[in-house]
Amino acid sequence: MIQIFIIVFVLRIWFLFQDYFFSDDIYRHLWEGHMIWLGINPYLFEPNDPALSCFRTATFPLINHPELPSIYGPLAHLLAAPPLFHSSPLAFKLLLIALEVLCFYWLINLGWKKLALIIGLFPLTALATAGD
């Protein structure tokens, strides 16, 4: 089982350094996490709001649909809220990989090895967390 755990981890690390395939949502998550950290409600303000211009980071031009307020759930905001992630997509993706590998390990320990293998080896889950 340890060999498969290593394969799962290596697959995610490989996707980590690939270009974004399907989505650039990560920049939106980082922006909204930054707003949460500052105590600003991302459901009330869109990123293009002139009142927020002083909070813009280097990744701001990469945000998709800056004319709309947040559509993402609160957990996504809380994960991206620590300042470490505000301008570092790589750090945020590493957090997501760590959480996914932890879930994979948890499923194995619960005795759900087949489910863990299906989830762990399915490339789309790796792409969704590490790649996009």
Side-chain angles (χ1 to χ4, degrees):
M1 191 50 94
I2 192 71
Q3 294 89 351
I4 295 184
F5 189 76
I6 291 170
I7 291 169
V8 167
F9 186 71
V10 168
L11 179 64
R12 272 117 186 107
I13 295 300
W14 182 79
F15 274 123
L16 184 66
F17 296 104
Q18 303 304 313
D19 289 333
Y20 296 110
F21 292 104
F22 302 116
S23 172
D24 55 1
D25 288 350
I26 192 165
Y27 300 109
R28 185 68 185 239
H29 288 297
L30 297 178
W31 169 259
E32 292 171 358
H34 182 60
M35 294 299 97
I36 291 288
W37 186 261
L38 295 172
I40 299 168
N41 187 339
Y43 298 109
L44 298 178
F45 298 96
E46 66 270 0
N48 272 349
D49 192 310
L52 303 179
S53 63
C54 61
F55 302 118
R56 293 183 179 156
T57 62
T59 58
F60 182 81
L62 303 171
I63 295 173
N64 59 9
H65 300 290
E67 71 281 0
L68 300 173
S70 179
I71 62 165
Y72 300 107
L75 183 58
H77 296 318
L78 292 176
L79 284 175
L84 170 67
F85 306 127
H86 297 171
S87 59
S88 176
L90 181 62
F92 187 62
K93 287 167 50 169
L94 285 171
L95 170 70
L96 295 178
I97 290 171
L99 291 173
E100 189 179 19
V101 170
L102 182 66
C103 288
F104 178 72
Y105 181 74
W106 177 68
L107 286 172
I108 290 171
N109 283 337
L110 285 176
W112 298 343
K113 292 179 182 173
K114 287 183 182 177
L115 178 61
L117 290 175
I118 291 168
I119 293 170
L121 296 175
F122 189 60
L124 191 56
T125 59
L127 179 63
T129 55
D132 287 337

